Amino acid sequence: MNAYKVEAIVTENGTIVLHGLPFQTGDTVEVIVLEHADAASAEASRSITESRDAIEAEYLTGVSRQMTEWASAEDEAAYHDL
């Protein structure tokens, strides 16, 4: 099976029109649509950041549950700076 790379822009209602493909009328083809590398990279970066934030929040919640008392106002201030 040969692969042909063609870039296209999605228009309204999720429509994509491909031009210049090396096929004849009536040929059966398999279509796989991949998100452009720049968009996929930005999405992956967002996902990693969200995951890291969730992990950090979970860690801080766990730490705070282990602390049973505050010795001073300075301890309280230090905790909020985390």
Side-chain angles (χ1 to χ4, degrees):
M1 174 186 289
N2 293 324
Y4 300 91
K5 183 175 180 178
V6 178
E7 288 191 15
I9 296 174
V10 179
T11 61
E12 43 184 83
N13 299 323
T15 302
I16 299 173
V17 177
L18 304 176
H19 297 281
L21 297 173
F23 303 107
Q24 300 297 316
T25 301
D27 286 351
T28 300
V29 298
E30 181 176 355
V31 178
I32 299 172
V33 179
L34 302 173
E35 188 174 29
H36 193 274
D38 291 343
S41 177
E43 179 61 31
S45 177
R46 247 188 324 274
S47 177
I48 290 169
T49 300
E50 290 170 0
S51 295
R52 186 184 63 229
D53 290 348
I55 290 169
E56 289 174 359
E58 184 178 336
Y59 171 76
L60 290 175
T61 299
V63 168
S64 69
R65 286 183 182 149
Q66 293 178 4
M67 299 175 156
T68 58
E69 64 180 63
W70 299 112
S72 66
E74 289 80 16
D75 289 341
E76 181 71 26
Y79 173 75
H80 285 291
D81 286 341
L82 291 178

Coordinates of all heavy atoms in Angstrom, one line a residue:
M1 N 0.9 -1.2 0.0 CA 0.0 0.0 0.0 C 0.9 1.2 0.0 O 1.8 1.3 0.8 CB -0.9 0.0 1.2 CG -1.7 1.3 1.4 SD -2.7 1.4 2.9 CE -3.9 0.2 2.6
N2 N 0.6 2.2 -0.9 CA 1.4 3.4 -0.9 C 0.7 4.5 -0.1 O -0.6 4.5 0.0 CB 1.5 3.9 -2.4 CG 2.4 3.0 -3.2 OD1 3.4 2.5 -2.7 ND2 2.0 2.8 -4.5
A3 N 1.4 5.4 0.4 CA 0.9 6.5 1.2 C 1.2 7.8 0.4 O 2.3 8.0 -0.1 CB 1.4 6.6 2.6
Y4 N 0.2 8.7 0.5 CA 0.4 10.1 -0.2 C 0.0 11.1 0.9 O -1.0 11.0 1.5 CB -0.5 10.2 -1.4 CG -0.2 9.2 -2.4 CD1 -0.9 8.0 -2.4 CD2 0.7 9.4 -3.4 CE1 -0.6 7.0 -3.4 CE2 1.0 8.4 -4.4 CZ 0.3 7.2 -4.3 OH 0.6 6.3 -5.3
K5 N 0.9 12.1 1.0 CA 0.7 13.1 2.0 C 0.1 14.3 1.4 O 0.7 14.8 0.4 CB 2.0 13.5 2.8 CG 1.8 14.5 3.8 CD 3.1 14.7 4.6 CE 2.9 15.7 5.7 NZ 4.1 16.0 6.5
V6 N -1.0 14.8 1.9 CA -1.7 16.0 1.3 C -2.1 16.8 2.5 O -2.7 16.3 3.5 CB -2.9 15.6 0.5 CG1 -3.6 16.9 0.0 CG2 -2.5 14.7 -0.7
E7 N -1.9 18.1 2.5 CA -2.4 19.0 3.6 C -3.7 19.6 3.1 O -3.8 20.0 2.0 CB -1.3 20.0 4.0 CG -0.2 19.5 4.7 CD 0.7 20.5 5.3 OE1 0.3 21.7 5.4 OE2 1.8 20.2 5.7
A8 N -4.6 19.8 4.1 CA -5.9 20.4 3.7 C -6.3 21.2 5.0 O -5.9 20.9 6.1 CB -6.9 19.4 3.3
I9 N -7.2 22.1 4.8 CA -7.8 22.9 5.9 C -9.2 22.4 6.1 O -10.0 22.3 5.1 CB -7.7 24.4 5.6 CG1 -6.2 24.8 5.5 CG2 -8.5 25.2 6.6 CD1 -6.0 26.2 5.1
V10 N -9.6 22.2 7.3 CA -11.0 21.8 7.6 C -11.9 23.0 7.4 O -11.6 24.1 8.0 CB -11.1 21.2 9.0 CG1 -12.5 20.8 9.3 CG2 -10.1 20.0 9.2
T11 N -13.0 22.8 6.7 CA -13.9 23.9 6.5 C -15.1 23.7 7.4 O -15.1 22.8 8.2 CB -14.3 24.1 5.0 OG1 -14.9 22.9 4.6 CG2 -13.1 24.4 4.1
E12 N -16.2 24.5 7.2 CA -17.4 24.4 8.0 C -17.9 22.9 8.0 O -17.8 22.2 7.0 CB -18.4 25.4 7.6 CG -18.6 25.6 6.1 CD -19.6 26.6 5.8 OE1 -19.2 27.8 5.8 OE2 -20.8 26.3 5.6
N13 N -18.5 22.5 9.1 CA -19.1 21.2 9.3 C -18.1 20.1 9.2 O -18.4 19.0 8.8 CB -20.2 21.0 8.3 CG -21.4 22.0 8.5 OD1 -21.7 22.4 9.6 ND2 -21.9 22.4 7.4
G14 N -16.8 20.4 9.4 CA -15.8 19.3 9.4 C -15.5 18.8 8.0 O -15.0 17.7 7.9
T15 N -15.7 19.6 7.0 CA -15.4 19.1 5.6 C -14.0 19.3 5.2 O -13.4 20.4 5.5 CB -16.4 19.9 4.6 OG1 -17.7 19.7 5.0 CG2 -16.2 19.4 3.2
I16 N -13.4 18.3 4.5 CA -12.1 18.4 3.9 C -12.2 18.1 2.5 O -12.7 17.0 2.1 CB -11.1 17.5 4.6 CG1 -11.0 17.8 6.1 CG2 -9.7 17.6 3.9 CD1 -10.1 16.8 6.9
V17 N -11.6 18.9 1.6 CA -11.6 18.6 0.2 C -10.1 18.4 -0.2 O -9.2 19.2 0.1 CB -12.1 19.8 -0.7 CG1 -12.0 19.5 -2.2 CG2 -13.6 20.0 -0.3
L18 N -9.8 17.2 -0.9 CA -8.5 16.9 -1.3 C -8.4 17.0 -2.8 O -9.2 16.5 -3.5 CB -8.2 15.4 -0.8 CG -8.3 15.1 0.7 CD1 -8.0 13.7 0.9 CD2 -7.4 16.0 1.5
H19 N -7.3 17.7 -3.2 CA -7.1 17.9 -4.7 C -5.8 17.2 -5.1 O -4.9 17.1 -4.3 CB -7.1 19.4 -5.0 CG -8.3 20.1 -4.7 ND1 -9.4 20.0 -5.6 CD2 -8.7 20.9 -3.7 CE1 -10.4 20.8 -5.1 NE2 -10.0 21.3 -3.9
G20 N -5.7 16.8 -6.3 CA -4.5 16.3 -6.9 C -4.0 14.9 -6.5 O -2.8 14.6 -6.5
L21 N -5.0 14.1 -6.1 CA -4.6 12.7 -5.7 C -4.4 11.9 -6.9 O -5.1 12.0 -7.9 CB -5.7 12.1 -4.8 CG -5.9 12.9 -3.5 CD1 -7.1 12.3 -2.7 CD2 -4.7 12.8 -2.6
P22 N -3.4 10.9 -6.8 CA -3.1 10.1 -8.0 C -4.0 8.9 -8.2 O -3.5 7.8 -8.3 CB -1.6 9.7 -7.7 CG -1.6 9.6 -6.2 CD -2.5 10.7 -5.7
F23 N -5.3 9.0 -8.2 CA -6.2 7.9 -8.3 C -7.2 8.2 -9.4 O -7.4 9.3 -9.8 CB -7.0 7.7 -7.0 CG -6.1 7.5 -5.8 CD1 -5.9 8.5 -4.8 CD2 -5.4 6.3 -5.6 CE1 -5.1 8.3 -3.8 CE2 -4.5 6.1 -4.5 CZ -4.4 7.1 -3.6
Q24 N -7.8 7.1 -9.9 CA -8.8 7.1 -10.9 C -10.2 7.1 -10.3 O -10.4 6.6 -9.2 CB -8.6 5.9 -11.9 CG -7.2 5.8 -12.5 CD -7.0 7.0 -13.4 OE1 -7.8 7.5 -14.2 NE2 -5.8 7.6 -13.3
T25 N -11.1 7.7 -11.1 CA -12.5 7.6 -10.6 C -12.9 6.2 -10.4 O -12.6 5.3 -11.2 CB -13.4 8.2 -11.7 OG1 -13.0 9.6 -12.0 CG2 -14.9 8.2 -11.3
G26 N -13.5 6.0 -9.2 CA -14.0 4.6 -8.9 C -13.0 3.8 -8.0 O -13.3 2.8 -7.5
D27 N -11.7 4.3 -7.9 CA -10.7 3.6 -7.1 C -11.2 3.6 -5.6 O -11.8 4.6 -5.2 CB -9.4 4.2 -7.2 CG -8.6 4.0 -8.5 OD1 -9.1 3.1 -9.2 OD2 -7.6 4.6 -8.7
T28 N -11.0 2.6 -4.9 CA -11.3 2.5 -3.5 C -10.0 2.9 -2.7 O -8.9 2.4 -3.0 CB -11.7 1.1 -3.0 OG1 -12.9 0.8 -3.8 CG2 -12.1 1.1 -1.5
V29 N -10.1 3.9 -1.8 CA -9.0 4.3 -1.0 C -9.3 4.2 0.5 O -10.5 4.2 0.9 CB -8.5 5.7 -1.4 CG1 -8.1 5.8 -2.8 CG2 -9.6 6.7 -1.1
E30 N -8.3 4.2 1.3 CA -8.4 4.2 2.7 C -7.9 5.6 3.2 O -6.9 6.1 2.7 CB -7.6 3.1 3.4 CG -7.7 3.1 4.9 CD -6.9 1.9 5.5 OE1 -6.4 1.1 4.8 OE2 -6.9 1.9 6.8
V31 N -8.7 6.3 4.0 CA -8.3 7.6 4.4 C -8.1 7.7 5.9 O -8.9 7.2 6.7 CB -9.5 8.6 4.1 CG1 -9.1 10.0 4.6 CG2 -9.8 8.6 2.6
I32 N -6.9 8.2 6.3 CA -6.5 8.4 7.7 C -6.2 9.9 7.8 O -5.4 10.4 7.1 CB -5.3 7.5 8.0 CG1 -5.6 6.1 7.8 CG2 -4.8 7.8 9.5 CD1 -4.4 5.2 8.0
V33 N -6.9 10.5 8.8 CA -6.7 11.9 9.0 C -5.9 12.1 10.3 O -6.3 11.6 11.3 CB -8.1 12.6 9.1 CG1 -7.9 14.1 9.3 CG2 -8.9 12.4 7.8
L34 N -4.8 12.9 10.1 CA -3.9 13.2 11.3 C -4.0 14.7 11.5 O -3.9 15.5 10.6 CB -2.5 12.7 11.0 CG -2.3 11.3 10.7 CD1 -0.9 11.0 10.3 CD2 -2.7 10.4 11.9
E35 N -4.0 15.1 12.8 CA -3.9 16.5 13.1 C -2.5 17.0 12.8 O -1.5 16.2 12.9 CB -4.1 16.6 14.6 CG -4.2 18.0 15.1 CD -4.6 18.0 16.6 OE1 -4.3 17.1 17.3 OE2 -5.3 19.0 17.0
H36 N -2.4 18.2 12.3 CA -1.1 18.8 11.9 C -0.1 18.7 13.1 O -0.6 18.9 14.2 CB -1.3 20.2 11.4 CG -0.1 20.7 10.7 ND1 0.9 21.3 11.3 CD2 0.3 20.7 9.4 CE1 1.9 21.7 10.5 NE2 1.5 21.3 9.3
A37 N 1.1 18.5 12.9 CA 2.1 18.4 14.0 C 2.1 19.5 14.9 O 2.2 19.3 16.1 CB 3.5 18.2 13.4
D38 N 2.0 20.8 14.4 CA 2.0 21.9 15.3 C 0.8 21.9 16.3 O 0.9 22.2 17.4 CB 2.0 23.2 14.5 CG 3.3 23.5 13.8 OD1 4.3 22.8 14.1 OD2 3.3 24.3 12.9
A39 N -0.4 21.6 15.8 CA -1.6 21.6 16.6 C -1.5 20.4 17.6 O -1.9 20.5 18.7 CB -2.8 21.4 15.7
A40 N -1.0 19.3 17.1 CA -0.9 18.1 18.0 C 0.1 18.4 19.1 O -0.1 18.0 20.3 CB -0.5 16.9 17.2
S41 N 1.2 19.1 18.8 CA 2.3 19.4 19.7 C 1.7 20.3 20.8 O 2.0 20.2 22.0 CB 3.5 20.0 19.0 OG 4.4 20.4 20.0
A42 N 0.9 21.3 20.4 CA 0.3 22.3 21.3 C -0.6 21.5 22.3 O -0.7 21.8 23.5 CB -0.4 23.4 20.6
E43 N -1.4 20.6 21.7 CA -2.4 19.9 22.5 C -1.7 19.0 23.5 O -2.1 18.9 24.7 CB -3.3 19.0 21.6 CG -4.3 18.2 22.4 CD -5.3 19.0 23.2 OE1 -5.6 20.1 22.8 OE2 -5.7 18.5 24.3
A44 N -0.6 18.3 23.1 CA 0.2 17.5 24.0 C 0.8 18.3 25.1 O 0.8 17.8 26.3 CB 1.3 16.7 23.2
S45 N 1.3 19.4 24.8 CA 1.9 20.3 25.8 C 0.8 20.7 26.8 O 1.1 20.7 28.0 CB 2.5 21.5 25.1 OG 3.0 22.4 26.1
R46 N -0.4 21.1 26.4 CA -1.5 21.4 27.3 C -1.8 20.3 28.2 O -2.0 20.4 29.3 CB -2.7 21.9 26.4 CG -3.1 23.3 26.6 CD -4.4 23.6 25.9 NE -4.7 23.0 24.7 CZ -4.3 23.3 23.5 NH1 -3.6 24.4 23.3 NH2 -4.7 22.6 22.4
S47 N -1.9 19.1 27.6 CA -2.2 17.9 28.3 C -1.2 17.6 29.4 O -1.6 17.2 30.5 CB -2.4 16.7 27.4 OG -2.7 15.5 28.1
I48 N 0.1 17.7 29.1 CA 1.1 17.5 30.0 C 1.1 18.5 31.2 O 1.2 18.1 32.3 CB 2.5 17.5 29.3 CG1 2.7 16.3 28.4 CG2 3.7 17.6 30.4 CD1 3.9 16.4 27.5
T49 N 0.8 19.7 30.9 CA 0.7 20.8 31.9 C -0.4 20.5 32.8 O -0.3 20.6 34.0 CB 0.6 22.2 31.2 OG1 1.7 22.4 30.4 CG2 0.4 23.3 32.3
E50 N -1.6 20.1 32.2 CA -2.8 19.8 33.1 C -2.5 18.6 34.0 O -2.9 18.6 35.1 CB -4.0 19.6 32.2 CG -4.5 20.8 31.5 CD -5.5 20.5 30.4 OE1 -5.9 19.4 30.2 OE2 -6.0 21.5 29.8
S51 N -1.8 17.6 33.4 CA -1.5 16.4 34.2 C -0.6 16.8 35.4 O -0.7 16.3 36.5 CB -0.9 15.3 33.3 OG -1.8 14.9 32.4
R52 N 0.5 17.6 35.1 CA 1.4 18.0 36.1 C 0.7 18.8 37.2 O 1.0 18.5 38.4 CB 2.6 18.8 35.5 CG 3.7 19.1 36.5 CD 4.8 20.0 35.9 NE 4.2 21.3 35.5 CZ 4.4 21.8 34.3 NH1 5.1 21.3 33.4 NH2 3.8 23.0 34.1
D53 N -0.1 19.7 36.8 CA -0.9 20.5 37.8 C -1.7 19.6 38.7 O -1.8 19.8 39.9 CB -1.7 21.5 37.1 CG -0.9 22.6 36.4 OD1 0.3 22.7 36.7 OD2 -1.5 23.4 35.6
A54 N -2.4 18.6 38.1 CA -3.2 17.7 38.9 C -2.4 16.9 39.9 O -2.8 16.7 41.0 CB -4.0 16.8 37.9
I55 N -1.2 16.4 39.4 CA -0.3 15.6 40.3 C 0.2 16.5 41.4 O 0.2 16.1 42.6 CB 0.8 15.0 39.4 CG1 0.3 14.0 38.5 CG2 1.9 14.5 40.4 CD1 1.3 13.5 37.5
E56 N 0.6 17.7 41.1 CA 1.1 18.6 42.2 C 0.0 18.9 43.2 O 0.2 18.9 44.4 CB 1.6 19.9 41.5 CG 2.9 19.7 40.8 CD 3.4 21.0 40.1 OE1 2.7 22.0 40.1 OE2 4.4 20.9 39.5
A57 N -1.2 19.2 42.7 CA -2.4 19.4 43.6 C -2.6 18.2 44.5 O -2.9 18.4 45.7 CB -3.6 19.8 42.8
E58 N -2.6 17.0 43.9 CA -2.8 15.8 44.7 C -1.7 15.6 45.7 O -2.0 15.3 46.9 CB -2.8 14.6 43.8 CG -3.1 13.3 44.4 CD -3.2 12.1 43.5 OE1 -3.5 12.4 42.3 OE2 -3.0 11.0 43.9
Y59 N -0.5 15.9 45.4 CA 0.7 15.8 46.3 C 0.5 16.8 47.5 O 0.6 16.4 48.6 CB 2.0 16.1 45.6 CG 3.2 16.2 46.5 CD1 3.7 15.1 47.1 CD2 3.7 17.4 46.9 CE1 4.8 15.2 48.0 CE2 4.7 17.6 47.7 CZ 5.3 16.4 48.3 OH 6.3 16.5 49.2
L60 N 0.1 18.0 47.2 CA 0.0 19.0 48.2 C -1.2 18.7 49.1 O -1.1 18.9 50.4 CB -0.2 20.4 47.6 CG 1.0 21.0 47.0 CD1 0.7 22.3 46.3 CD2 2.2 21.2 47.9
T61 N -2.2 18.1 48.6 CA -3.4 17.7 49.4 C -2.9 16.5 50.4 O -3.3 16.5 51.5 CB -4.5 17.2 48.5 OG1 -5.0 18.3 47.7 CG2 -5.7 16.7 49.4
G62 N -2.2 15.6 49.8 CA -1.6 14.5 50.7 C -0.7 15.0 51.8 O -0.8 14.6 52.9
V63 N 0.1 15.9 51.5 CA 1.0 16.5 52.5 C 0.2 17.2 53.5 O 0.5 17.1 54.7 CB 2.1 17.5 51.8 CG1 2.8 18.3 52.9 CG2 3.0 16.7 51.0
S64 N -0.8 18.0 53.1 CA -1.5 18.8 54.1 C -2.3 17.9 55.0 O -2.5 18.2 56.2 CB -2.5 19.8 53.4 OG -3.5 19.1 52.7
R65 N -2.7 16.7 54.5 CA -3.5 15.7 55.4 C -2.6 15.1 56.4 O -3.0 14.7 57.5 CB -4.1 14.7 54.5 CG -5.3 15.1 53.7 CD -5.9 14.0 53.0 NE -7.0 14.6 52.2 CZ -7.4 14.1 51.0 NH1 -6.8 13.1 50.5 NH2 -8.4 14.7 50.4
Q66 N -1.3 15.1 56.2 CA -0.3 14.5 57.1 C 0.0 15.5 58.2 O 0.5 15.1 59.3 CB 0.9 14.0 56.4 CG 0.7 12.8 55.5 CD 1.9 12.4 54.8 OE1 3.0 12.9 55.0 NE2 1.8 11.5 53.9
M67 N -0.2 16.7 58.0 CA 0.1 17.7 59.0 C -1.1 17.9 59.9 O -2.1 18.2 59.5 CB 0.5 19.1 58.3 CG 1.7 19.0 57.4 SD 1.9 20.5 56.6 CE 3.7 20.4 56.2
T68 N -0.8 17.7 61.2 CA -2.0 17.7 62.1 C -2.1 19.1 62.8 O -3.2 19.3 63.4 CB -1.8 16.6 63.1 OG1 -0.6 16.8 63.8 CG2 -1.9 15.2 62.5
E69 N -1.1 19.9 62.9 CA -1.2 21.2 63.6 C -0.2 22.1 63.1 O 0.8 21.8 62.6 CB -1.1 21.0 65.1 CG 0.3 20.5 65.5 CD 0.5 20.4 67.0 OE1 -0.2 19.5 67.6 OE2 1.3 21.1 67.6
W70 N -0.5 23.4 63.2 CA 0.4 24.5 62.9 C 1.0 25.1 64.2 O 0.2 25.3 65.1 CB -0.3 25.6 62.1 CG -0.9 25.1 60.8 CD1 -2.3 25.0 60.5 CD2 -0.2 24.7 59.6 NE1 -2.4 24.6 59.2 CE2 -1.2 24.3 58.7 CE3 1.1 24.5 59.3 CZ2 -0.9 23.8 57.4 CZ3 1.4 24.0 58.0 CH2 0.4 23.7 57.1
A71 N 2.3 25.3 64.1 CA 2.9 25.8 65.3 C 2.8 27.3 65.4 O 2.9 27.9 66.5 CB 4.4 25.4 65.4
S72 N 2.7 28.0 64.2 CA 2.6 29.4 64.3 C 2.0 30.0 63.0 O 1.8 29.3 62.0 CB 4.1 30.0 64.4 OG 4.8 29.6 63.2
A73 N 1.8 31.3 63.0 CA 1.3 32.0 61.8 C 2.3 31.9 60.6 O 2.0 31.8 59.5 CB 1.1 33.4 62.1
E74 N 3.6 31.8 61.0 CA 4.7 31.6 60.0 C 4.5 30.3 59.2 O 4.8 30.2 58.0 CB 6.1 31.7 60.6 CG 6.5 33.1 61.0 CD 5.8 33.5 62.4 OE1 5.4 32.6 63.1 OE2 5.8 34.7 62.7
D75 N 4.2 29.2 60.0 CA 3.9 27.9 59.3 C 2.8 28.0 58.3 O 2.9 27.5 57.2 CB 3.6 26.8 60.4 CG 4.8 26.5 61.2 OD1 6.0 26.8 60.8 OD2 4.6 25.9 62.3
E76 N 1.7 28.7 58.7 CA 0.6 28.8 57.8 C 1.0 29.6 56.6 O 0.7 29.2 55.5 CB -0.5 29.6 58.6 CG -1.8 29.8 57.8 CD -2.6 28.5 57.5 OE1 -2.5 27.6 58.3 OE2 -3.3 28.5 56.5
A77 N 1.8 30.7 56.7 CA 2.2 31.5 55.6 C 3.1 30.7 54.7 O 3.0 30.7 53.5 CB 2.9 32.7 56.1
A78 N 4.0 29.9 55.3 CA 4.9 29.0 54.5 C 4.1 28.0 53.7 O 4.5 27.7 52.5 CB 5.9 28.4 55.4
Y79 N 3.1 27.4 54.2 CA 2.3 26.4 53.5 C 1.6 27.0 52.3 O 1.6 26.5 51.2 CB 1.3 25.8 54.5 CG 0.3 24.9 53.7 CD1 0.7 23.6 53.3 CD2 -1.0 25.3 53.4 CE1 -0.2 22.8 52.6 CE2 -1.9 24.5 52.8 CZ -1.4 23.2 52.4 OH -2.3 22.4 51.7
H80 N 1.1 28.3 52.5 CA 0.4 28.9 51.4 C 1.4 29.3 50.2 O 0.9 29.6 49.1 CB -0.4 30.1 51.9 CG -1.7 29.6 52.6 ND1 -2.7 29.0 51.9 CD2 -2.0 29.6 53.9 CE1 -3.6 28.7 52.8 NE2 -3.2 29.0 54.0
D81 N 2.7 29.4 50.5 CA 3.6 29.8 49.5 C 4.0 28.6 48.6 O 4.7 28.7 47.6 CB 4.9 30.3 50.1 CG 4.7 31.8 50.7 OD1 3.7 32.4 50.2 OD2 5.5 32.2 51.5
L82 N 3.6 27.4 49.0 CA 3.9 26.2 48.2 C 3.4 26.3 46.9 O 2.5 26.3 46.3 CB 3.5 24.9 48.9 CG 4.2 24.6 50.2 CD1 3.6 23.3 50.9 CD2 5.7 24.4 49.9

